[in-house]
């Protein structure tokens, strides 16, 4: 009995609803389109937030206050002898991390030559644009003598390759500071031990 009452009531409601929709076709055809346009128009003010720091940290968080304090007490000269990728601040830079599949020594002659070839290939990349070809020298950080600053590990690998080519045995890669032939002291950040 309850089932038949519900069935009759639902059938009557849906019949009236169908009759009402059929008698007003213009309204029911245009209303969804208009509502979609109105709701979609709100995306015209939509802006993509690219700053991960802004998304994850509050505006006046303790971490931002401490970072500003450290930067004010220990300023970093970002223009000379320093790569942006070595800094702990956000920015646009790229870094290539080279590893071995077989957990081999990355300082042996074969791997050193491959890493230096990869570095040379990256520095020779050209991006053609209408009227101009951009090279690595156009986007790199320049030194005082207007040459590109290169990561210190590349200088260490070049020195190691030159030592092997001349059969020099007095060059050693030590942690945390390695001294190059030209007298520069290079700081290595993450090696686990010294290599000879």
């Amino acid at each position: 009995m309850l089932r038949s009452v519900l069935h009759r009531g639902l059938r009557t409601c849906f019949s009236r609803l169908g009759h009402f929709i059929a008698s007003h076709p213009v309204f029911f055809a245009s209303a969804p389109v208009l509502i979609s346009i109105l709701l979609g128009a709100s995306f015209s003010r939509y802006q993509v937030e690219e700053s991960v720091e802004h998304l994850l940290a509050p505006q006046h968080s303790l971490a931002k206050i401490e970072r500003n304090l450290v930067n004010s007490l220990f300023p970093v000269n970002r223009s000379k002898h320093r790569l942006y990728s070595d800094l702990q601040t956000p920015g646009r830079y790229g870094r290539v991390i080279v590893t071995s599949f077989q957990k081999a020594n990355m300082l042996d002659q074969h791997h050193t030559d491959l890493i230096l070839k990869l570095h040379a290939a990256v520095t020779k990349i050209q991006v053609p644009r209408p009227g101009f070809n951009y090279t690595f020298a156009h986007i790199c950080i320049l030194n005082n003598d207007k040459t590109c600053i290169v990561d210190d590990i590349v200088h260490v690998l070049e020195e190691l390759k030159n030592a092997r080519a001349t059969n020099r045995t007095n060059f050693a890669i030590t942690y945390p500071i390695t001294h190059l032939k030209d007298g520069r002291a290079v700081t290595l950040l993450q090696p686990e031990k010294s290599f000879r």
Side-chain angles (χ1 to χ4, degrees), residues 61-76:
S61 68
L62 186 59
K64 288 183 179 180
I65 294 169
E66 289 176 354
R67 184 186 65 202
N68 291 337
L69 177 65
V70 169
N71 286 340
S72 67
L73 294 175
F74 306 101
V76 177

Side-chain angles (χ1 to χ4, degrees), residues 2-178:
L2 180 62
R3 182 187 292 176
S4 64
V5 170
L6 285 175
H7 180 68
R8 205 175 317 122
L10 287 175
R11 186 176 60 190
T12 304
C13 289
F14 283 124
S15 174
R16 289 180 182 167
L17 178 64
H19 181 64
F20 180 73
I21 291 173
S23 61
H24 301 91
V26 175
F27 174 75
F28 284 100
S30 60
V33 174
L34 290 174
I35 291 172
S36 298
I37 290 172
L38 289 175
L39 293 177
S42 65
F43 282 109
S44 65
R45 292 178 284 168
Y46 177 73
Q47 293 178 350
V48 177
E49 180 61 51
E50 295 180 359
S51 171
V52 177
E53 181 181 359
H54 180 71
L55 291 172
L56 300 178
Q59 185 67 27
H60 300 290
S61 68
L62 186 59
K64 288 183 179 180
I65 294 169
E66 289 176 354
R67 184 186 65 202
N68 291 337
L69 177 65
V70 169
N71 286 340
S72 67
L73 294 175
F74 306 101
V76 177
N77 185 357
R78 297 169 187 247
S79 61
K80 295 183 175 74
H81 306 291
R82 195 76 178 159
L83 291 175
Y84 284 126
S85 57
D86 294 339
L87 304 174
Q88 300 302 318
T89 54
R92 293 181 181 176
Y93 58 84
R95 175 164 274 190
V96 177
I97 299 174
V98 180
T99 60
S100 173
F101 286 119
Q102 302 159 348
K103 295 188 178 182
N105 184 358
M106 296 301 288
L107 296 177
D108 66 5
Q109 186 171 359
H110 173 69
H111 289 101
T112 302
D113 291 342
L114 286 176
I115 293 169
L116 291 175
K117 283 181 185 176
L118 176 65
H119 173 70
V122 168
T123 57
K124 291 178 183 173
I125 291 175
Q126 291 189 356
V127 178
R129 283 290 187 216
F132 196 75
N133 285 340
Y134 287 96
T135 63
F136 181 76
H138 290 106
I139 60 172
C140 70
I141 301 170
L142 297 177
N143 208 341
N144 289 340
D145 57 354
K146 303 297 182 196
T147 59
C148 292
I149 298 176
V150 180
D151 201 319
D152 288 336
I153 194 66
V154 174
H155 294 297
V156 171
L157 293 177
E158 287 173 344
E159 186 80 19
L160 183 63
K161 182 178 180 180
N162 292 338
R164 286 185 182 137
T166 59
N167 289 329
R168 259 190 7 221
T169 57
N170 60 350
F171 178 69
I173 299 175
T174 55
Y175 177 78
I177 297 174
T178 299

